Amino acid sequence: METRPLIAVTLGDPAGIGPEIIAKALPGRALDFCRPLVIGDAACVARHLQQYNPAVTVHKVSRLKDARFEANQLDVLDCAHVPADLPMAQPSAASGRAAVEAIRKAVDLALANEVHAITTAPINKEAIHLAGHLYPGHTEMLADFTGTEHVGLMLAGGNLRVVLATTHVPLERVKALITKERVETILRVTHQWLRQVGIDHPRIAVTGLNPHCGDGGVFGDEESRAIVPALDALRAEGMDVTGPHSADALFGRIHHTSCDAVVTMYHDQGMIPIKMASMGSAVNITLGLPILRTSVDHGTAYDIAGQGVASADSLVEALRMAAVLSPTAHTAS
């Protein structure tokens, strides 16, 4: 009986490095631990394989049961057409449409238990907006496609798991978004996910928003107004949460801190330390979804798209994480 999980791999933005890293990483580096099925335009994948991995050819399928998962072929569920003359390294409505269509197809397969997990190559926010899909990013899109109310963005790598209370929003909006309800919600989502992956008594450290956690209100009151009340409420329920911690002090000693995850208040507060600690091997995991989704820890990298220098390491790690976390109870094809 086949035990390797079946993972749908979305092509990402075809004008970025997604097709390149897929061509470099698949199928060879992943076949030991999973069965990768690319979701996207087969012709686009074929062009990139010819350039970056010519020993492998595309096996175009329209049904999952026709996939072969062989070392010299890359199975591609053909959809999300990409114009052959699509310009590289720039956002367009065409690239945005292709990226979103592939994601929607992968989500549908996961919701139907036809695949165990999905792993996504990066998308470009401007491109998907040009295509009429006004999501801030993957996380919010996946929440909409799955009908999920509360989700969280986690990056895991090295000895760290970092979750963001706010994600892709302008810094000027973060202050208003840090409410007691929001902090409680992201902590509950994080706690539940940690329990699901086998941590019986999760320990979660929480950062403040302001320098030195506001220094008693001198630098801001979000800690006393929102974060501390949220932590007090959850501690009263028996949840093991500590903080608020000054982010610089916490991440400066994180190797000596006993916690299973850190919840931070805004994007760069959490992304910078986790990416430094993981040295490019971090994996993006969406918490709260009814499906398992992992992703690379980088963007479309238009600055190097089409140059052949993109690393596929993060994609391999994202696939490996998806394989490790895949629920064995599923009965994927």
Side-chain angles (χ1 to χ4, degrees):
M1 181 178 178
E2 178 59 72
T3 58
R4 293 171 301 165
L6 176 54
I7 301 175
V9 185
T10 62
L11 191 61
D13 185 336
I17 63 171
E20 177 184 339
I21 61 176
I22 285 172
K24 289 178 175 179
L26 303 178
R29 295 173 67 182
L31 279 179
D32 286 344
F33 55 83
C34 73
R35 291 173 290 158
L37 175 71
V38 176
I39 312 295
D41 181 40
C44 177
V45 177
R47 290 192 295 272
H48 284 81
L49 280 173
Q50 186 175 23
Q51 184 172 1
Y52 301 115
N53 196 358
V56 177
T57 59
V58 161
H59 177 227
K60 183 168 68 173
V61 302
S62 57
R63 302 176 302 174
L64 288 180
K65 67 179 183 179
D66 294 330
R68 297 171 181 165
F69 307 111
E70 297 176 354
N72 64 343
Q73 291 186 325
L74 180 54
D75 296 288
V76 180
L77 187 64
D78 190 32
C79 67
H81 173 69
V82 176
D85 59 352
L86 181 79
M88 290 295 293
Q90 57 184 280
S92 66
S95 64
R97 278 193 298 271
V100 173
E101 185 179 338
I103 295 165
R104 190 183 294 275
K105 179 63 176 178
V107 168
D108 289 344
L109 292 172
L111 287 173
N113 284 346
E114 295 186 65
V115 298
H116 292 98
I118 68 174
T119 294
T120 57
I123 60 175
N124 180 274
K125 279 73 172 177
E126 184 179 353
I128 66 171
H129 284 203
L130 288 171
H133 302 284
L134 304 182
Y135 299 104
H138 262 119
T139 303
E140 296 79 9
M141 186 189 307
L142 292 165
D144 185 31
F145 288 177
T146 60
T148 306
E149 183 177 4
H150 299 304
V151 295
L153 190 163
M154 171 188 282
L155 220 63
N159 68 334
L160 280 178
R161 297 184 185 99
V162 173
V163 182
L164 307 180
T166 62
T167 53
H168 299 103
V169 296
L171 195 56
E172 65 182 8
R173 290 182 53 203
V174 170
K175 179 182 173 71
L177 291 173
I178 299 303
T179 63
K180 176 178 180 290
E181 293 72 24
R182 190 181 194 96
V183 175
E184 282 192 35
T185 296
I186 196 64
L187 283 167
R188 292 185 194 279
V189 170
T190 303
H191 185 269
Q192 181 181 13
W193 185 87
L194 292 169
R195 291 286 304 274
Q196 288 174 346
V197 299
I199 300 173
D200 292 334
H201 304 287
R203 298 160 298 176
I204 305 171
V206 183
T207 67
L209 172 66
N210 299 295
H212 309 296
C213 292
D215 250 353
V218 175
F219 304 129
D221 67 351
E222 286 74 23
E223 287 76 17
S224 60
R225 175 177 53 79
I227 302 173
V228 170
L231 298 183
D232 287 344
L234 295 177
R235 290 189 193 107
E237 297 177 10
M239 195 179 294
D240 188 351
V241 291
T242 64
H245 301 279
S246 180
D248 59 342
L250 176 65
F251 284 113
R253 66 174 189 271
I254 196 68
H255 293 286
H256 310 288
T257 301
S258 294
C259 67
D260 299 301
V262 178
V263 171
T264 62
M265 294 299 111
Y266 61 94
H267 185 277
D268 285 10
Q269 188 184 53
M271 292 293 100
I272 291 172
I274 182 66
K275 290 189 176 185
M276 290 183 67
S278 64
M279 299 295 290
S281 64
V283 175
N284 186 332
I285 306 168
T286 306
L287 312 186
L289 296 174
I291 63 175
L292 173 60
R293 178 260 179 163
T294 66
S295 186
V296 296
D297 73 343
H298 57 75
T300 50
Y302 280 169
D303 58 324
I304 60 171
Q307 299 178 29
V309 297
S311 170
D313 289 349
S314 184
L315 177 61
V316 174
E317 290 307 311
L319 285 163
R320 194 185 310 277
M321 181 72 76
V324 169
L325 296 176
S326 291
T328 56
H330 280 192
T331 55
S333 301

